[in-house]
Amino acid sequence: MIETKREDFDLQFIRKFCPPIFDSFEFLPSVGASGGVITIWKSYLFTGHLVYSNDFGISVEFSSNHGTHDWILTNIYGPCTLSGKQLFLNWHKNIDMPEEVEWILLGDFNLLGSPSDRNRPGGDINEMLLFNEAISVLGVVELPLMDRKFTWSNKQFPPLLERLDWFFTSISWTNNFRGTTVSSLTNETSDHVPRLISVATNVPKSKVFRFENYLLEHEHLLNVVQHGLSLPTHQSDCAKIISAKFKNLRRVIRSWQTHLSSLKANIANVK
């Protein structure tokens, strides 16, 4: 959790918003009603201990209780003031994390990466450049937001929307957990959209369409192709029309193929 706005935590308070199975934690206290982060985990799954803490966040090293994996989670809350951001960016780009460490870095950085990370004109271009420089120097890989462009709202009308929350992984993490994704959860009270990070070693693959050469000799191929290309596309742009037509054709041929005998099965039967 980020921007907790609390100076202290105990398990009794944590159980007001977390199930009892979340029974271990480390936190960075807020300064008055500003900032503060907390990392909470299930001790039966992971053993965790604090390896670093400063004014901008905490790093917890986790060891799996059911395997051999060790990894580090750094939970960030970036300052809002200009001077604070400068100090934060200087620290950020000088983090010395060994390349072989599986590391995930996330939180509310209070920084934009580009003008498009805001739904209105504005933002400090110099801050954006410095932020991108820090990311580049650190050599981390950004986890993209899959279902939402902005992560923060000022809760006014019309709303100001910005992307202030960022998620990065080390090269080692990326190589070992290629299926790591970030998605949104329901936002009920916070001005930040809650995020869910899913970790997997496999990368989902779409079903590949393969056109079998024997179809070129089929007596009905031309009719099938003409039907697929004649379907409406509901597009006005020429490039989009062509793309939509090929998608329609792929769908029609794939459906047609399912009703034909399998070439591979026939070959196997001959053998």
Side-chain angles (χ1 to χ4, degrees):
M1 292 179 61
I2 52 175
E3 199 173 6
T4 61
K5 300 182 179 180
R6 284 188 62 88
E7 297 180 352
D8 194 20
F9 282 92
D10 56 33
L11 281 176
Q12 183 177 0
F13 180 80
I14 289 173
R15 284 172 180 162
K16 293 181 180 180
F17 58 89
C18 275
I21 199 169
F22 287 88
D23 56 357
S24 296
F25 65 95
E26 291 286 352
F27 72 97
L28 175 70
S30 66
V31 179
S34 175
V37 299
I38 186 170
T39 300
I40 311 171
W41 65 93
K42 302 172 184 178
S43 63
Y44 84 93
L45 289 177
F46 299 103
T47 299
H49 67 276
L50 185 69
V51 293
Y52 184 82
S53 175
N54 67 359
D55 294 339
F56 310 124
I58 56 175
S59 294
V60 178
E61 183 174 21
F62 291 101
S63 299
S64 172
N65 293 333
H66 305 282
T68 58
H69 263 100
D70 296 330
W71 53 284
I72 292 177
L73 169 67
T74 299
N75 199 350
I76 295 291
Y77 180 76
C80 299
T81 65
L82 177 60
S83 59
K85 289 180 179 181
Q86 291 173 342
L87 290 172
F88 169 71
L89 287 170
N90 185 62
W91 164 76
H92 182 272
K93 70 179 181 181
N94 286 292
I95 296 175
D96 185 18
M97 185 65 67
E99 291 184 1
E100 67 274 10
V101 172
E102 292 170 357
W103 179 40
I104 185 164
L105 171 70
L106 54 84
D108 177 5
F109 286 68
N110 271 312
L111 289 164
L112 305 176
S114 72
S116 63
D117 292 329
R118 179 183 169 102
N119 71 331
R120 300 180 194 168
D124 190 319
I125 298 297
N126 187 55
E127 280 184 5
M128 298 176 196
L129 293 173
L130 291 173
F131 183 34
N132 284 295
E133 178 192 10
I135 295 169
S136 178
V137 170
L138 201 54
V140 290
V141 179
E142 179 189 344
L143 293 175
L145 305 181
M146 305 300 294
D147 53 8
R148 189 181 294 263
K149 186 174 182 180
F150 306 110
T151 64
W152 174 86
S153 169
N154 65 353
K155 297 287 188 178
Q156 298 180 12
F157 185 82
L160 171 62
L161 305 175
E162 293 182 330
R163 180 178 180 184
L164 302 178
D165 303 277
W166 298 87
F167 310 86
F168 304 99
T169 61
S170 63
I171 297 297
S172 178
W173 181 289
T174 303
N175 289 336
N176 292 321
F177 304 105
R178 296 176 181 271
T180 304
T181 58
V182 183
S183 57
S184 303
L185 298 176
T186 302
N187 185 11
E188 297 181 353
T189 58
S190 176
D191 52 0
H192 288 264
V193 177
R195 313 300 297 190
L196 173 66
I197 298 179
S198 301
V199 180
T201 55
N202 62 312
V203 180
K205 295 182 179 179
S206 61
K207 189 174 181 179
V208 177
F209 169 68
R210 291 184 174 86
F211 183 88
E212 303 287 355
N213 288 336
Y214 78 91
L215 294 176
L216 293 171
E217 305 296 330
H218 199 285
E219 59 180 334
H220 294 148
L221 175 64
L222 183 58
N223 292 332
V224 172
V225 171
Q226 288 176 338
H227 171 64
L229 293 176
S230 67
L231 294 174
T233 62
H234 308 293
Q235 300 288 344
S236 57
D237 180 79
C238 292
K240 291 182 179 179
I241 290 174
I242 294 173
S243 176
K245 281 185 174 293
F246 277 115
K247 288 180 179 179
N248 287 339
L249 180 59
R250 178 182 61 189
R251 185 176 69 253
V252 169
I253 293 179
R254 178 180 286 164
S255 176
W256 178 50
Q257 280 183 303
T258 60
H259 295 87
L260 298 176
S261 60
S262 171
L263 178 61
K264 291 182 178 179
N266 289 340
I267 293 175
N269 290 334
V270 171
K271 292 179 179 180

